[in-house]
Amino acid sequence: MNAIVPSTPLTSAADAALMFPTLSAAQIARIASHGVIRPITRGEVLIEGGQADVPFFVLKAGEIEVVRPSGLGDLLVAVVGPAQFTGDVSMLLGRPAQMRLRVSGSGEVVQLTRDQMHALIQADADMSDVLMRALIRRRIALVTQGIGDVLLIGSVHSAATLRIKAFLTRNGHPFKYLDLDRDAEVRELLDRFHVDAAEIPVVICRGEAVLKNPSSQAIADRLGFNQRIDQRHLRDVVIVGAGPAGLSAAVYAASEGLDALVIEASSPGGQAGSSSRIENYLGFPTGISGQELAGRAFAQAQKFGAAVMIAKGAAELSCEPLPYGVRLDDGATIPARTVIIATGARYRKPALANLDLFEGAGVYYNATFMEEAQIGDSDEVVVVGGANSAGQAAVFLARRARRVHVLVRSNSLSESMSRYLTRRIEETPTIQVRTRTEIVALEGNGHLERVHWRDGTGAVTSHEVRHVFMMTGAEASTGWLDGRVALDAKGFIKTGPDLSPEDLAAADWPLERSPYLLETSRPGVFAVGDVRCGNIKRVASAVGEGSIAISFVHRVLAECSSGASSPSAAVPRR
Ligand SMILES: Cc1cc2nc3c(=O)[nH]c(=O)nc-3n(C[C@H](O)[C@H](O)[C@H](O)COP(=O)(O)OP(=O)(O)OC[C@H]3O[C@@H](n4cnc5c(N)ncnc54)[C@H](O)[C@@H]3O)c2cc1C
């Protein structure tokens, strides 16, 4: 057994009382009615790091140490005392334990299985409030302090390192990062794990498994992100995409008793998750980072019992025979009574010959604190685009960069940019808007070093710029649908009244009724958010459409069970 470092970073934090609240006798009795009471003995390990089914404990008497096990030396993270409880968000997500729980003082606990804990949170609003707040705060503290079961060794010059950092961060998974060029202990660690410096980035999980430059899917598999999800089970609704629209649909579906599964190709949050600060979403007068909004929505969906698959992309919608099936990129097919497509949009890439050489190494499609950390104080940066996302990026990056050049192809910033952003840009002296200007070439050796842009006069000039943020117009993520639903000329999905009689005839629409609002040319298949033709590209509209779609899902399911007119009991029109 490794030596324990005598420190408790979580319990010494300022808001320890909120993370480790003391429950009243009445509250403990309410929790006990959902589980069992049992004795615990000093030295007993209640939960081991990596354990799959993680129970929840409330301490009636005694003491429990929370230890982060690691091949590099265990770390005492917190001590749980009488009337306090164990756990963090992993338990709610059904993911393996990151910590070992060891009894340091004999006593008695109330023990609940994960399902019993879920039932408690859903049934008891007061307890849900206390438990959810503590679990979320604990997770934030672990993420902030980098205390978890993952060690990432990488380099600030490596695009793959940035990708892995972004994946772990956007999934709220705590990790410690060590940089090859900056941290002295890296060489020794690489030797210990038999890794060559040329093989970085490496992810070391639980001090044992070493993954060399792993894909997001390999990390998700190793950390057990999806291990509790039954892929063969027929769901009421399968939601593809976990941006604001998909997460909203998941919250409403699960809270209204539907069996909902979300499939997300990358990380929860979508485009909104890459926003440094959203200031126009109702209820957040001081703004909220996209990542925090996504984290809250993700926890909310889990609280109501929606299942969310991470790092699994939908590759095909199978429509025959019914029920529908969403085939994943790993080959599995998830059966579904109804489907909500919420795959959003992504930035269109400009046609620059060597763009891919610099993606993550000077060219970025997000502007969050992770990309910001790449920038030096004396750097000049370029933001390409004239809409809200570009405006936000410019204002955010101006905090750090010496100068921000905003390159816009048209004569002015887009009319769709919010007034508050144009004013901030005007009032920030280090931001320079260059209209009728576009990048024509990128140059560098391993990392972007220089860009060439053409201005309104046609003159091409060269500039020493190491960071370019591409925030140009978005294209719909509908390639995977391969014509299964009707699209408009730009590839966005047509729904409800936008579907013409010709669209319905071409799709062989089989029902007497017309498609519902948000319903595609396939009965029971809906499209919401940025992926939908005519959608207003805002977080609020994505969230609104996600919730509205669920009311139509209920109608379709009712039609299914009555046999009236449904995708699975389709009544032909002719
Ligand atoms: C930088 C930035 C800043 C912004 N700021 C604001 C703002 O301040 N206010 C505002 O109102 N709006 C803002 N927006 C716009 C807003 O974020 C979008 O309108 C909103 O995110 C759309 O939500 P969505 O769920 O429809 O799609 P998205 O957010 O695009 O989410 C789609 C999700 O689907 C996933 N996906 C795609 N294809 C597949 C597949 N085949 N299988 C599985 N999953 C898939 C993606 O990985 C993604 O997570 C901003 C956008 C950006 C990029």
Side-chain angles (χ1 to χ4, degrees):
M1 168 74 65
N2 297 298
I4 287 178
V5 180
S7 98
T8 59
L10 288 200
T11 43
S12 61
D15 57 353
L18 291 168
M19 279 192 278
F20 292 92
T22 303
L23 301 176
S24 68
Q27 286 175 319
I28 296 175
R30 266 155 62 194
I31 296 174
S33 69
H34 288 259
V36 295
I37 296 175
R38 74 164 181 91
I40 51 170
T41 315
R42 185 179 158 80
E44 187 182 346
V45 173
L46 297 174
I47 297 173
E48 190 47 274
Q51 180 176 321
D53 281 313
V54 184
F56 170 73
F57 298 101
V58 180
L59 216 60
K60 286 175 73 96
E63 189 184 81
I64 298 172
E65 285 178 347
V66 180
V67 176
R68 191 221 33 215
S70 160
L72 309 172
D74 293 356
L75 175 72
L76 179 63
V77 175
V79 178
V80 179
Q84 294 180 329
F85 53 89
T86 63
D88 100 317
V89 177
S90 291
M91 179 199 292
L92 216 57
L93 305 181
R95 293 182 183 170
Q98 295 193 36
M99 304 292 164
R100 176 186 301 138
L101 261 60
R102 190 177 44 209
V103 179
S104 46
S106 300
E108 196 175 51
V109 289
V110 175
Q111 178 171 340
L112 272 66
T113 63
R114 175 183 176 268
D115 289 345
Q116 288 168 332
M117 150 84 158
H118 238 236
L120 166 73
I121 281 182
Q122 284 170 23
D124 190 326
D126 291 340
M127 284 317 308
S128 164
D129 198 29
V130 176
L131 300 183
M132 288 295 292
R133 192 177 313 141
L135 300 193
I136 289 171
R137 277 178 188 271
R138 288 176 194 177
R139 174 50 68 99
I140 291 170
L142 291 173
V143 168
T144 312
Q145 297 176 53
I147 303 171
D149 53 0
V150 169
L151 172 64
L152 168 64
I153 302 177
S155 161
V156 74
H157 305 297
S158 136
T161 301
L162 187 62
R163 171 181 60 78
I164 294 172
K165 267 187 179 178
F167 179 72
L168 291 168
T169 304
R170 290 186 63 175
N171 277 289
H173 196 91
F175 66 98
K176 184 173 167 64
Y177 173 67
L178 293 177
D179 197 285
L180 184 65
D181 305 313
R182 295 180 186 168
D183 295 302
E185 66 263 50
V186 165
R187 297 279 165 186
E188 192 221 321
L189 279 170
L190 291 179
D191 287 347
R192 190 182 317 176
F193 288 101
H194 310 292
V195 178
D196 194 88
E199 294 177 302
I200 60 126
V202 290
V203 172
I204 300 170
C205 301
R206 301 188 187 111
E208 303 158 353
V210 178
L211 309 177
K212 295 173 184 169
N213 191 10
S215 65
S216 300
Q217 200 160 342
I219 299 172
D221 288 347
R222 183 73 220 182
L223 296 177
F225 280 7
N226 303 316
Q227 69 179 19
R228 273 185 66 99
I229 297 176
D230 179 356
Q231 302 193 359
R232 284 161 304 180
H233 176 61
L234 174 63
R235 309 277 171 170
D236 292 330
V237 57
V238 168
I239 300 158
V240 188
L247 287 173
S248 159
V251 166
Y252 282 89
S255 67
E256 292 170 18
L258 297 180
D259 184 354
L261 168 72
V262 185
I263 298 168
E264 168 53 52
S266 175
S267 316
Q271 295 170 74
S274 69
S275 167
S276 49
R277 181 159 292 270
I278 296 170
E279 294 192 57
N280 55 3
Y281 186 51
L282 193 72
F284 296 93
T286 55
I288 181 165
S289 78
Q291 205 177 311
E292 193 184 347
L293 186 67
R296 284 167 182 246
F298 185 53
Q300 205 172 1
Q302 302 280 341
K303 166 182 143 172
F304 287 120
V308 186
M309 283 182 117
I310 299 297
K312 300 272 181 192
E316 188 188 336
L317 176 66
S318 104
C319 301
E320 276 155 15
L322 291 169
Y324 292 115
V326 178
R327 189 173 63 75
L328 304 180
D329 43 21
D330 66 5
T333 298
I334 316 269
R337 293 192 173 91
T338 64
V339 175
I340 295 181
I341 302 167
T343 45
R346 54 173 175 247
Y347 289 120
R348 206 175 295 129
K349 296 187 179 184
L352 290 167
N354 50 0
L355 182 69
D356 55 337
L357 291 182
F358 301 114
E359 287 179 331
V363 171
Y364 316 98
Y365 299 94
N366 299 315
T368 67
F369 68 92
M370 273 175 287
E371 290 78 22
E372 187 200 22
Q374 310 282 106
I375 301 173
D377 295 341
S378 58
D379 284 346
E380 300 204 2
V381 306
V382 164
V383 174
V384 182
N388 261 357
S389 50
Q392 263 179 26
V395 172
F396 176 67
L397 296 168
R399 303 182 320 172
R400 177 125 183 175
R402 188 160 64 87
R403 179 161 294 278
V404 179
H405 304 272
V406 179
L407 270 46
V408 194
R409 241 197 332 210
S410 57
N411 287 329
S412 64
L413 293 174
S414 161
E415 281 177 10
S416 67
M417 187 182 286
S418 302
R419 183 67 195 126
Y420 80 91
L421 280 172
T422 48
R423 280 186 55 184
R424 282 206 199 138
I425 288 176
E426 283 157 16
E427 285 163 14
T428 309
T430 51
I431 301 180
Q432 187 161 3
V433 179
R434 296 175 180 276
T435 55
R436 298 175 59 219
T437 303
E438 62 182 317
I439 294 186
V440 290
L442 305 170
E443 230 181 82
N445 186 8
H447 193 284
L448 182 67
E449 290 163 12
R450 183 163 280 280
V451 303
H452 302 257
W453 68 61
R454 185 190 301 115
D455 65 23
T457 68
V460 175
T461 46
S462 164
H463 304 264
E464 215 175 285
V465 168
R466 293 176 52 80
H467 306 281
V468 173
F469 295 82
M470 298 287 185
M471 305 279 170
T472 41
E475 60 189 8
S477 303
T478 45
W480 66 281
L481 287 163
D482 196 26
R484 295 289 199 284
V485 297
L487 306 178
D488 74 1
K490 291 184 175 167
F492 290 85
I493 301 175
K494 286 179 150 188
T495 55
D498 288 333
L499 287 159
S500 65
E502 295 73 33
D503 290 327
L504 295 179
D508 216 6
W509 176 260
L511 307 183
E512 289 293 341
R513 66 165 175 81
S514 303
Y516 292 128
L517 191 76
L518 307 179
E519 197 170 24
T520 68
S521 54
R522 295 269 174 189
V525 177
F526 298 85
V528 293
D530 277 20
V531 77
R532 196 178 68 76
C533 120
N535 160 275
I536 306 297
K537 310 281 182 269
R538 293 278 189 265
V539 174
S541 31
V543 168
E545 289 183 12
S547 77
I548 295 167
I550 295 304
S551 66
F552 291 110
V553 164
H554 283 296
R555 280 200 214 173
V556 170
L557 292 176
E559 290 167 0
C560 279
S561 48
S562 73
S565 77
S566 73
S568 54
V571 179
R573 279 187 307 163
R574 298 178 293 273

